[in-house]
Amino acid sequence: MKALTWCAPYKVSVEEVPQPKILNQRDAIIRVTSTCICGSDLHLVDGFIPFMKPGDILGHEPMGIVEELGPGVDQSKIRVGDRVVVPFMISCGECFFCRRQLYSCCDNTNPKSSIGEAMHGQATAGVFGYSHLTGGYAGGQAEFLRVPFADFNLQKMPQEFTDEQLVFLTDIYPTGYMAAWQCDIKPDDTVAIWGCGPVGQFTIRSAALLGAGQIIAIDDEQKVPERMQMARDGGAITIDMHDEYVYDRLMDLTGGIGPDACIDAVGMEAHGYTAIESLYDKVKTNLFMETERPHAFRQAAMCCRKGGTLSVPGVYGGFADKIPLGAIMNKGLTIKTGQTHVHRFVPELLEHVKQGRIDPSFVVTHRLPLSEAPRAYDMFRAKEDGCIKVVLDPAA
Amino acid sequence: MAKSTRNRPASTRESNARQTNRPPQIVQTVEQSVQQLNGRSSGLQNVGNPERAISIAAGAILAALGLRRRDATGVFIAGVGSALAFRGITGHCSLYQALGANTCPCDADRDDGVEVSASFLINKPAEVLYSFWRHFENLPKFMSHLESVSELDRGRSHWVANAPAIYGGKVEWDAEITADEPNKLIRWRSLPGADIEHRGSIQFTKALGDRGTNVRVEMEYRPPAGKLGQWIAKLFHEEPKQQIHDDLRRFKRLMEAGDILTIVGQPRGTCTGHGVRES
């Protein structure tokens, strides 16, 4: 089968690899019908997460049709021929964390937990196509995918919607939703969101679904006018970080107290707000003295109102410098973060789609064959051709 | 989760007698143990016992003389004396370490075993965990260095461990259960005549609330005298501490999720255009 593999920083290729097979009792094999490129794939491809090996198959946003089930799969839950979405995190459903619906913290699905223990103290769940830090599982940018604990992980989907309307339930729609949900939004709250990429877009719409009074989105009007327009279409007021003072504008919009919730939907590869800060992080990351460029997080902490919430769906991998802990402590901020507990949100978010409150396909700008994935990565990274979200078609 | 590894003094029968002549063993990290096993210099004893006695005596005299002077020179002399005494008491000399010197004959009889422990919270009742473990033939399902365990009679069992390149690739021993408290505790140890001395125990303690059971495993392996250096690296695929920790994690996974996930056999690329299966 065809699969997209990582070969070196900034280099991916489409290769012919063996078909996946059942390796554990409760595995399923999925024929992938749609699979997406995620912003966090760029962190991996660009070498920001140092646990990639050449030949690793990428991709953690796939959906498809069940082709084969292992002998241990509970067939009252999942059957051959079912149309399914595959959450990007792999969970067991039985451990301490899964019982508390903290599915991305599952204890039992990461075969390489010792790496996570060394790096972070404790390991997260396994993730498809997301480096050896999360288990080294083959990813979903391929024609077929093996899914462990299939009767727990696979999410059955109805037939009446298109792939584009459902496929984002794998990751970015629940990720944007959890980012807003964990801010405990009240009707008179102002929510500010850094980053108008795909997760930022879903965060904007989720904040609206959760009843936020005012939504503000921050990005660069010069570089990504199409993303800023999409944010405005979703009901957000936009701040152009290129031409405006973000802090001043946020204070203007909130009567000087700052946003109640500040959400960093950018993560580790942020581009800076001031030349000195940018240069500082660039030098440190290039010397491996720092693994992140946390500009968005720093600014969010400085802008957030006293007693407010900082929510971080943006991905970080290691260590960051110059975190304004003084602002966080003295203002009494609450930090909420985490890889997304996808399974927890799928039923509720599917219901929003069914009720017509959201059509997740709004974010799609490109649908390309899997064979063109290397070009799609370059386009997505450079934000060329108005690229916001790419869906790949393995059958094309 | 907690785990520890200690080098234990002396495996042989007269170990207790010999132990009393030794300074208290210092708790070491695995890295130190492994270095020591590999014969590299460690942070531990590198001064022979006669020399240590001289060092302590001379150090004490110098310190006393120095303190009596009550001036700057006296403080200096007392400092040198204290350092000498400290060197004698610990048996470790940093200067010797820097020079690669060692006057301690300890290496010749360094036949210490390896003792490791690990604990995990497992989200299952103690009865389930106890009865699975009590059937020792289940152990190779999650303990990576064990090939098989077969139950004999009267609480005895026969153990076979993979050990490439020693003893023809395998070590074998018979073991007996020395304590068995249902749902609480099992202890076992190897019988005389084993390729290696082995003892182990597992304890099951109810965790707070609905969190399941705290499981703590302790194991000790002692090879025949003098064999440890060659033996240890070959029995364990990785550091003993890490391996027991990983084994117990596999036990947790088997108990909680019913399976231990693997990626061996999945497809992967090679960046040459033709992929392979993960090995």
Side-chain angles (χ1 to χ4, degrees):
Chain A
M1 67 166 184
K2 285 197 300 285
L4 182 107
T5 58
W6 180 84
C7 291
Y10 301 100
K11 186 173 185 328
V12 292
S13 66
V14 175
E15 281 192 77
E16 196 62 32
V17 300
Q19 296 268 122
K21 54 184 186 187
I22 303 284
L23 300 175
N24 284 92
Q25 298 275 311
R26 287 163 63 200
D27 283 356
I29 306 295
I30 307 302
R31 178 168 55 81
V32 178
T33 55
S34 288
T35 184
C36 317
I37 301 176
C38 178
S40 60
D41 288 329
L42 292 180
H43 302 321
L44 299 174
V45 170
D46 300 356
F48 273 76
I49 293 179
F51 298 99
M52 295 294 291
K53 291 183 188 169
D56 284 348
I57 301 172
L58 290 174
H60 57 263
E61 297 186 351
M63 69 175 292
I65 307 292
V66 178
E67 285 275 311
E68 187 187 351
L69 293 174
V73 174
D74 180 350
Q75 299 218 7
S76 70
K77 295 193 176 134
I78 210 81
R79 287 180 169 270
V80 170
D82 282 349
R83 186 188 198 198
V84 290
V85 149
V86 186
F88 73 101
M89 305 290 307
I90 305 166
S91 309
C92 77
E94 298 292 337
C95 67
F96 175 91
F97 302 97
C98 287
R99 291 278 173 91
R100 282 157 183 76
Q101 294 192 299
L102 301 169
Y103 300 114
S104 72
C105 301
C106 176
D107 244 355
N108 292 333
T109 56
N110 184 343
K112 304 192 176 185
S113 298
S114 53
I115 301 177
E117 285 177 358
M119 188 81 186
H120 298 148
Q122 283 88 27
T124 61
V127 182
F128 296 102
Y130 205 71
S131 92
H132 294 262
L133 181 63
T134 56
Y137 286 96
Q141 287 164 9
E143 288 180 78
F144 295 89
L145 176 70
R146 165 233 176 186
V147 180
F149 297 136
D151 41 16
F152 183 74
N153 286 302
L154 293 177
Q155 307 289 316
K156 258 163 70 166
M157 289 294 126
Q159 298 296 332
E160 65 264 33
F161 300 103
T162 64
D163 274 15
E164 278 84 354
Q165 289 174 301
L166 299 174
V167 72
F168 304 121
L169 287 167
T170 53
D171 178 356
I172 57 173
Y173 177 19
T175 296
Y177 189 83
M178 186 169 111
W181 170 85
Q182 65 195 3
C183 296
D184 192 19
I185 293 169
K186 305 282 188 300
D188 57 351
D189 277 357
T190 294
V191 179
I193 296 150
W194 275 255
C196 292
V199 168
Q201 298 295 341
F202 276 103
T203 309
I204 291 165
R205 280 153 180 83
S206 299
L209 283 170
L210 290 162
Q214 180 172 241
I215 302 166
I216 303 167
I218 300 146
D219 211 318
D220 189 329
E221 191 77 54
Q222 309 286 314
K223 285 188 188 152
V224 287
E226 63 284 351
R227 295 181 182 206
M228 297 293 261
Q229 187 54 50
M230 190 179 271
R232 287 188 287 271
D233 294 345
I237 299 164
T238 53
I239 299 179
D240 176 11
M241 64 182 234
H242 189 269
D243 270 352
E244 298 180 275
Y245 290 105
V246 174
Y247 175 87
D248 291 350
R249 279 277 282 146
L250 285 173
M251 294 309 126
D252 278 351
L253 289 163
T254 57
I257 71 166
D260 305 275
C262 289
I263 301 177
D264 169 7
V266 179
M268 56 164 62
E269 287 187 77
H271 301 287
Y273 297 95
T274 67
I276 290 172
E277 192 195 354
S278 275
L279 188 64
Y280 174 85
D281 285 316
K282 187 141 198 172
V283 169
K284 295 265 299 199
T285 51
N286 286 346
L287 292 172
F288 299 104
M289 292 165 73
E290 183 182 39
T291 57
E292 336 277 357
R293 305 198 299 239
H295 306 282
F297 182 84
R298 287 177 189 141
Q299 195 172 48
M302 297 305 284
C303 294
C304 195
R305 81 147 159 82
K306 289 178 277 188
T309 302
L310 289 173
S311 168
V312 188
V315 171
Y316 291 92
F319 302 89
D321 286 1
K322 303 282 182 288
I323 298 300
L325 202 49
I328 292 168
M329 185 272 156
N330 286 289
K331 296 200 293 181
L333 304 185
T334 300
I335 300 177
K336 294 281 186 100
T337 182
Q339 295 283 4
T340 311
H341 311 302
V342 175
H343 309 60
R344 172 178 189 151
F345 299 106
V346 166
E348 184 180 343
L349 298 186
L350 182 59
E351 193 57 29
H352 285 314
V353 177
K354 284 181 178 170
Q355 298 301 324
R357 294 185 205 112
I358 184 170
D359 178 353
S361 66
F362 77 90
V363 78
V364 179
T365 53
H366 294 76
R367 185 171 176 93
L368 294 167
L370 176 63
S371 55
E372 290 186 38
R375 183 171 74 84
Y377 268 86
D378 290 341
M379 186 172 65
F380 180 45
R381 179 187 300 105
K383 304 173 182 81
E384 288 166 1
D385 194 27
C387 183
I388 298 177
K389 189 71 181 178
V390 182
V391 179
L392 299 169
D393 182 351
Chain B
M1 283 170 286
K3 56 232 164 161
S4 66
T5 302
R6 275 184 291 157
N7 248 34
R8 269 325 220 31
S11 70
T12 44
R13 305 284 176 267
E14 66 274 21
S15 65
N16 288 340
R18 202 190 308 162
Q19 201 177 338
T20 52
N21 296 331
R22 288 188 171 192
Q25 285 286 319
I26 298 163
V27 174
Q28 299 176 54
T29 64
V30 175
E31 291 72 19
Q32 286 171 326
S33 315
V34 170
Q35 278 185 7
Q36 199 171 20
L37 298 172
N38 292 342
R40 276 185 266 143
S41 71
S42 74
L44 292 173
Q45 189 172 353
N46 59 5
V47 181
N49 284 344
E51 189 182 333
R52 289 173 62 194
I54 295 167
S55 198
I56 294 171
I61 293 166
L62 272 182
L65 288 175
L67 288 172
R68 279 179 60 177
R69 287 179 63 114
R70 296 175 191 278
D71 61 17
T73 316
V75 169
F76 176 72
I77 292 172
V80 171
S82 311
L84 265 178
F86 182 74
R87 171 182 181 271
I89 291 163
T90 60
H92 174 72
C93 175
S94 302
L95 182 63
Y96 275 9
Q97 191 179 352
L99 296 172
N102 191 340
T103 59
C104 175
C106 326
D107 277 336
D109 64 351
R110 188 171 281 158
D111 48 8
D112 302 351
V114 168
E115 185 187 290
V116 282
S117 67
S119 50
F120 261 94
L121 180 66
I122 305 184
N123 204 0
K124 288 282 170 189
E127 303 82 69
V128 174
L129 306 177
Y130 166 86
S131 53
F132 191 86
W133 194 287
R134 177 63 183 75
H135 294 103
F136 285 152
E137 61 265 44
N138 283 327
L139 301 188
K141 290 178 183 167
F142 57 89
M143 303 195 77
S144 49
H145 68 294
L146 283 183
E147 185 179 295
S148 68
V149 181
S150 36
E151 305 242 9
L152 304 172
D153 56 352
R154 287 171 286 130
R156 294 188 309 129
S157 47
H158 182 69
W159 300 51
V160 182
N162 286 315
I166 45 166
Y167 298 119
K170 286 185 170 93
V171 284
E172 306 195 22
W173 65 90
D174 285 344
E176 62 174 359
I177 289 178
T178 54
D180 185 3
E181 299 174 35
N183 311 329
K184 283 191 181 139
L185 169 84
I186 311 169
R187 278 186 211 283
W188 62 94
R189 69 169 176 221
S190 56
L191 292 165
D195 284 345
I196 53 171
E197 255 187 79
H198 164 65
R199 71 179 77 225
S201 69
I202 180 164
Q203 275 180 285
F204 307 91
T205 319
K206 191 181 176 334
L208 293 172
D210 64 351
R211 293 180 179 218
T213 307
N214 277 316
V215 175
R216 179 177 170 78
V217 171
E218 291 180 32
M219 290 206 188
E220 193 176 345
Y221 291 92
R222 290 177 187 169
K227 297 272 189 182
L228 181 67
Q230 354 163 349
W231 174 83
I232 194 72
K234 288 165 183 163
L235 180 59
F236 293 99
H237 306 299
E238 47 187 333
E239 289 179 0
K241 175 172 87 168
Q242 187 69 47
Q243 178 151 339
I244 297 294
H245 180 68
D246 290 346
D247 283 351
L248 196 55
R249 192 203 329 266
R250 278 189 283 271
F251 176 58
K252 167 184 158 68
R253 290 178 174 181
L254 194 57
M255 294 294 93
E256 288 185 347
D259 208 349
I260 302 163
L261 295 184
T262 180
I263 61 168
V264 174
Q266 74 177 8
R268 70 170 295 112
T270 55
C271 299
T272 60
H274 294 282
V276 293
R277 291 206 180 273
E278 190 96 45
S279 52

